[in-house]
Amino acid sequence: MTLPILIIDYVVLGLSLSYLDLYHIAYSLIVSFVLSKVIDMVQEGPNRAKVLFIVSDKSQKISQLIDVSLNRGLTYLQAEGGYQHDQKQVIYLVVQPREIPQLKQLIKAIDERAFVTVLDAHEVIGEGFSYQRKRYHVNWQHSKE
């Protein structure tokens, strides 16, 4: 979000080399970078997450590996291909940003042709993500008293 501002800061600081020394420019670059990260955190919140939609003919194998390797729950969405009108299972998954590289490797190991979309989630609420990792199903019954 603040990337354009950061780029402008870097350009201005680069032009400032004519009257500032490298020592001050280096500190200014570091401060600009830290400030951009702080602005991102304030705008997006501390609980950043990534949403993935994974379309693959091998969605069952991918989901099993996600469950075992990342201990993440997921949801299957039923979809129809727009060109061939074939039925597909789309995996809907929410993960921490740091889990994305491992997840990409995991998917590629099973299906190199998988179609993956990664989106930013600014807020995630629910069991398995904001409270704790995935837990096995608990039967909640509300008694009428």
Side-chain angles (χ1 to χ4, degrees):
M1 196 82 168
T2 59
L3 185 62
I5 295 170
L6 186 62
I7 291 171
I8 291 170
D9 284 348
Y10 282 7
V11 169
V12 169
L13 288 170
L15 295 173
S16 300
L17 279 171
S18 62
Y19 60 91
L20 288 177
D21 59 15
L22 286 175
Y23 180 78
H24 287 94
I25 295 284
Y27 276 109
S28 298
L29 289 173
I30 292 169
V31 169
S32 293
F33 178 76
V34 170
L35 184 59
S36 72
K37 291 299 179 187
V38 169
I39 290 171
D40 282 344
M41 184 176 281
V42 169
Q43 286 179 340
E44 295 177 13
N47 297 327
R48 294 182 10 214
K50 296 287 185 179
V51 175
L52 283 88
F53 289 97
I54 306 165
V55 181
S56 171
D57 292 328
K58 301 176 183 178
S59 59
Q60 292 292 327
K61 288 182 182 178
I62 292 172
S63 64
Q64 289 171 355
L65 202 52
I66 289 170
D67 183 38
V68 170
S69 300
L70 296 176
N71 194 28
R72 287 283 181 200
L74 53 88
T75 300
Y76 290 116
L77 304 174
Q78 298 302 318
E80 179 181 337
Y83 182 69
Q84 295 179 343
H85 299 286
D86 53 340
Q87 296 299 309
K88 300 272 186 183
Q89 265 190 332
V90 177
I91 299 171
Y92 172 78
L93 176 66
V94 180
V95 297
Q96 296 285 344
R98 68 178 181 276
E99 295 173 312
I100 294 291
Q102 180 184 1
L103 193 54
K104 286 181 181 178
Q105 286 179 332
L106 219 140
I107 295 166
K108 189 175 182 181
I110 294 175
D111 186 4
E112 289 187 2
R113 298 179 46 107
F115 185 80
V116 181
T117 304
V118 181
L119 305 168
D120 289 322
H122 297 287
E123 186 173 1
V124 179
I125 300 169
E127 183 179 345
F129 197 85
S130 58
Y131 306 129
Q132 294 179 1
R133 290 283 193 164
K134 176 180 67 86
R135 286 189 272 166
Y136 292 98
H137 180 70
V138 176
N139 188 10
W140 294 94
Q141 294 180 349
H142 297 285
S143 61
K144 296 180 182 179
E145 296 179 31

